[in-house]
Amino acid sequence: MLARALAWQGVLSQVLGQIELADRCLERALALVDDPALSDQGELRAFVLLSVVQRVVNTDLDRAKRLAECSVVLYRALGDRWGMASSCVWLGWVIRDLGDYDKAREWLEEGLVLFRESGDRRGIAMSLSWLGLLAVVRGQLEVGERLAREATVTARDLDDHLLARIAVWASCQASSARGSGSDSSLEGRTWSRKRLAGPLLAWVRGMRA
């Protein structure tokens, strides 16, 4: 299906830093799945929506939230646990950046539960890292350290050096915040935008075709 191929090209173009190409591919894929003739292609539409979320999360949070919410609904209707987990986690991350930490935690925790149920350890490690960073922003520094340590162990068991670096970095942020007494939400948002933008894109290795 052309829409799926375009979505993958867009996601991989992001990883390679080819942002204009990524935008063109993803927007074209989105236009294709918006075609009423494809109304029965729920899984394809959900996949494309989630792919676009990962592109716009750093540029248009409101749009990212709408697309992630639609992806959650579609994957839930399909009973697709991996898709639900991925969409929940991305929705939680977006809502975190919008400042609703309680709701963000709910979505991230739901995604973590679903990843555990589906046995996706890469998803588990990333969810734990994001929950750890959220805990730091909320001032729950010991919780943040504990979650980040668990994420680190999981990532190292997988021999996934990228996820391990993200988890270790999350743990360092928690330790640093404990030392400085900082629980600034602005600081937390800066961490997510400036330090996680590249590594999060590389997490697409765990996405299904």
Side-chain angles (χ1 to χ4, degrees):
M1 178 67 70
L2 178 58
R4 190 183 302 276
L6 285 167
W8 271 112
Q9 184 178 1
V11 170
L12 295 175
S13 295
Q14 290 182 74
V15 176
L16 296 172
Q18 300 170 346
I19 302 306
E20 291 185 4
L21 177 59
D23 286 341
R24 289 198 302 272
C25 291
L26 290 170
E27 293 301 333
R28 187 179 175 197
L30 189 58
L32 286 171
V33 297
D34 279 339
D35 186 336
L38 295 177
S39 59
D40 61 334
Q41 300 292 320
E43 187 277 331
L44 175 59
R45 178 171 169 76
F47 174 79
V48 171
L49 290 173
L50 186 58
S51 300
V52 176
V53 168
Q54 296 175 53
R55 169 68 194 106
V56 302
V57 67
N58 286 321
T59 58
D60 189 341
L61 285 172
D62 290 331
R63 186 185 184 203
K65 180 174 179 289
R66 291 194 302 272
L67 295 175
E69 288 171 338
C70 289
S71 184
V72 169
V73 170
L74 288 169
Y75 275 126
R76 200 184 299 278
L78 292 165
D80 185 324
R81 288 188 175 275
W82 180 90
M84 288 166 58
S86 296
S87 297
C88 285
V89 168
W90 278 100
L91 179 56
W93 187 253
V94 171
I95 291 176
R96 192 205 89 131
D97 267 3
L98 287 169
D100 188 344
Y101 300 144
D102 290 334
K103 183 60 68 174
R105 180 178 57 79
E106 291 177 12
W107 283 112
L108 288 168
E109 288 180 345
E110 181 175 351
L112 175 60
V113 168
L114 290 167
F115 274 132
R116 289 192 191 281
E117 290 177 352
S118 63
D120 186 330
R121 300 186 70 199
R122 177 176 282 107
I124 291 169
M126 181 58 76
S127 300
L128 288 168
S129 294
W130 288 7
L131 278 165
L133 286 168
L134 176 62
V136 172
V137 173
R138 291 166 60 93
Q140 300 168 341
L141 306 181
E142 292 184 3
V143 173
E145 282 187 299
R146 175 178 57 79
L147 291 167
R149 283 197 299 270
E150 186 178 350
T152 302
V153 170
T154 302
R156 286 176 173 167
D157 285 347
L158 290 168
D159 198 28
D160 190 317
H161 301 295
L162 173 59
L163 278 177
R165 286 199 299 271
I166 295 172
V168 168
W169 177 76
S171 180
C172 290
Q173 294 300 335
S175 299
S176 176
R178 287 188 69 185
S180 65
S182 170
D183 61 353
S184 165
S185 60
L186 176 60
E187 185 178 12
R189 285 194 293 271
T190 300
W191 292 344
S192 69
R193 298 298 184 88
K194 293 185 177 179
R195 297 295 299 277
L196 281 182
L200 291 182
L201 290 176
W203 188 39
V204 299
R205 291 180 308 178
M207 292 177 66
R208 290 178 319 196

